Amino acid sequence: LQAHGNTLVTLGSNIIVVTERIDELKGLYETHEQFTSKTFKQQDTRMDKLEQNISTTAARLEQMNDWKTEVLAALHKETREREEYQLMQHQRMEEMETQLRDRT
């Protein structure tokens, strides 16, 4: 009986040690889960902000491209109008020179 009693005490003591170790591991697991969850949330938040920045930048680039197209079109129009004006002025000067020559 003494031997069985000692064995029961040893088993009981081992059960207590294993139970404490299981509780420790549960605590570590919960801490790990909380940290992992927090880290993933932070990464998700960062990714959301990055995606917003990319979208905003893309929209700005499209707008800048539209402005560039408008500016180039305006420059082309201005150049064409200036060339037409210069041609008209040149024709007028030639007409005036011709009229002066004809008068003399």
Side-chain angles (χ1 to χ4, degrees), residues 90-103:
H90 181 70
Q91 289 172 346
R92 282 185 185 167
M93 287 188 66
E94 285 181 348
E95 286 175 11
M96 291 169 78
E97 286 176 356
T98 303
Q99 287 175 0
L100 282 174
R101 266 189 257 134
D102 289 347
R103 285 183 187 173

Side-chain angles (χ1 to χ4, degrees), residues 11-67:
L11 282 173
S13 167
N14 285 344
I15 289 172
I16 291 171
V17 169
V18 169
T19 303
E20 288 173 353
R21 184 68 180 137
I22 288 172
D23 289 343
E24 269 181 57
L25 291 173
K26 281 182 183 177
L28 288 173
Y29 178 76
E30 288 171 1
T31 301
H32 173 72
E33 281 292 308
Q34 290 171 354
F35 175 77
T36 302
S37 176
K38 182 179 177 183
T39 301
F40 283 138
K41 284 179 185 174
Q42 288 173 343
Q43 287 176 345
D44 285 346
T45 301
R46 287 182 190 136
M47 288 301 290
D48 289 344
K49 287 180 182 177
L50 182 60
E51 288 174 1
Q52 287 174 345
N53 288 342
I54 289 171
S55 295
T56 301
T57 301
R60 286 181 183 160
L61 286 172
E62 286 178 26
Q63 187 177 28
M64 289 172 69
N65 188 49
D66 292 345
W67 290 339

